[in-house]
Amino acid sequence: MYVSGFSINVLIMLAVVLSVGLVVDDAIVVAENIYVRIEHGMSPREAGIEGSNEIFFAVISTTITLISVFLPIVFMDGMTGRLFKEFSIVIAGSVAISSFVALTFTPMLATKILKKREKKNWLYNKTEPFF
């Protein structure tokens, strides 16, 4: 937002709130896919590489779809176009940055942080029969 010269207003804050829900989705999908592979016995490094390669196309296609939905708002004319120009640029930019982070930093962090648990914690053991 700073690079584009946008001020903080109600529509920008709406875009930020909306984009929070959109951007965490990619990272969650990648991390979950890597964790499933770790639970099946792969080493964290192998799981990070194969898990991110498997989900790569889904993350890219979701990103392209979301950007293609919000970016045409930039080209609207009149008062509505001027109001929502910043809105669409903020959402499209945050989705693009989120895709980059989900495909680069998330697998690296997942390989360092996620480990296979041999023993489940007490909360898991108590709630698992209900599920």
Side-chain angles (χ1 to χ4, degrees), residues 123-131:
L123 182 63
Y124 179 85
N125 292 330
K126 293 292 183 188
T127 59
E128 186 60 22
F130 295 111
F131 296 113

Side-chain angles (χ1 to χ4, degrees), residues 58-72 95:
V59 171
I60 293 297
S61 62
T62 302
T63 301
I64 291 171
T65 302
L66 287 170
I67 289 175
S68 66
V69 165
F70 288 107
L71 203 56
V95 167

Side-chain angles (χ1 to χ4, degrees), residues 72-85:
I73 297 172
V74 171
F75 303 110
M76 290 177 65
D77 291 332
M79 183 65 90
T80 306
R82 279 189 265 147
L83 280 174
F84 286 103
K85 180 179 183 178

Side-chain angles (χ1 to χ4, degrees), residues 7 15 21 24 35 46-47 76 84 89 101 117 124 126 128:
S7 64
V24 298
Y35 187 69
E46 291 174 352
M76 290 177 65
F84 286 103
I89 290 173
V101 169
R117 293 185 183 176
Y124 179 85
K126 293 292 183 188
E128 186 60 22

Side-chain angles (χ1 to χ4, degrees), residues 22-31 58-59 62-63 95 98-99 102 106:
L22 297 174
V23 300
V24 298
D25 184 46
D26 293 338
I28 289 171
V29 168
V30 172
V59 171
T62 302
T63 301
V95 167
S98 164
S99 174
T106 302

